Amino acid sequence: MSDWSVPREGGCRCGRVRLKVTKPPLMTMACHCTGCQKMSSSAFSLSAAIPADGFEVSGETVIGGLHGEVSRHHFCGWCMTWLFTRIEGIDWFVNLRPTMLDDTAGIAPFIETFTCEKLPFAQTGAVHSFERFAPNEAIEGLMADYAGWRG
């Protein structure tokens, strides 16, 4: 895995919500779906899958984005910064927006998803690309590969 020393801290733009990461990510990702493009106001969103027991939040978050039953996108209620996402039924990791960290070393995406919606100019340098999500049966192998990646 690329340079991921822990602990790391970070927070939203206004500082009302602070984050602490005490375990390195299981994998880093870029998502090119149009939903992430709109929520991030960019060509793609970045994520780091942080083990849930290595992630702490201080301050209040609000749910934004689609307000769906599957994905819960957490934002600062004051500055509306998109901080992290929790996925219903998957409680072992949190998808952190790694640009929220004070130290952003090692946030390069290892995989990219939803390349079927990718903007033509968007380049991430990801090692693996998937037209939609990575297949479930590939996740364990991808995490093992990421653990040895020096990005």
Side-chain angles (χ1 to χ4, degrees):
M1 131 187 22
S2 56
D3 180 21
W4 260 93
S5 57
V6 288
R8 290 193 190 189
E9 295 187 14
C12 64
R13 186 170 185 168
C14 73
R16 292 181 185 207
V17 178
R18 293 295 294 167
L19 310 167
K20 185 172 185 180
V21 174
T22 57
K23 291 188 175 183
L26 304 166
M27 193 162 25
T28 55
M29 302 152 282
C31 182
H32 294 278
C33 80
T34 55
C36 282
Q37 290 173 23
K38 290 179 185 299
M39 283 181 43
S40 66
S41 298
S42 187
F44 50 83
S45 70
L46 294 175
S47 294
I50 305 296
D53 63 350
F55 181 73
E56 300 170 25
V57 178
S58 57
E60 295 296 319
T61 63
V62 297
I63 303 299
L66 291 177
H67 296 262
E69 292 188 21
V70 175
S71 293
R72 300 275 188 220
H73 304 295
H74 291 257
F75 291 75
C76 168
W78 181 257
C79 67
M80 302 309 285
T81 302
W82 182 21
L83 300 162
F84 61 94
T85 300
R86 294 185 190 270
I87 302 168
E88 185 68 31
I90 301 177
D91 58 359
W92 52 278
F93 76 90
V94 174
N95 266 337
L96 170 67
R97 308 280 82 74
T99 52
M100 298 304 109
L101 296 171
D102 299 335
D103 175 3
T104 56
I107 68 170
F110 181 67
I111 70 167
E112 61 183 349
T113 59
F114 274 84
T115 58
C116 62
E117 298 179 3
K118 180 178 175 178
L119 297 175
F121 66 85
Q123 302 298 319
T124 67
V127 177
H128 300 280
S129 295
F130 299 94
E131 191 170 306
R132 300 222 181 261
F133 288 118
N136 286 339
E137 61 273 9
I139 299 296
E140 190 173 321
L142 287 167
M143 287 191 304
D145 288 350
Y146 176 76
W149 183 52
R150 298 288 173 235

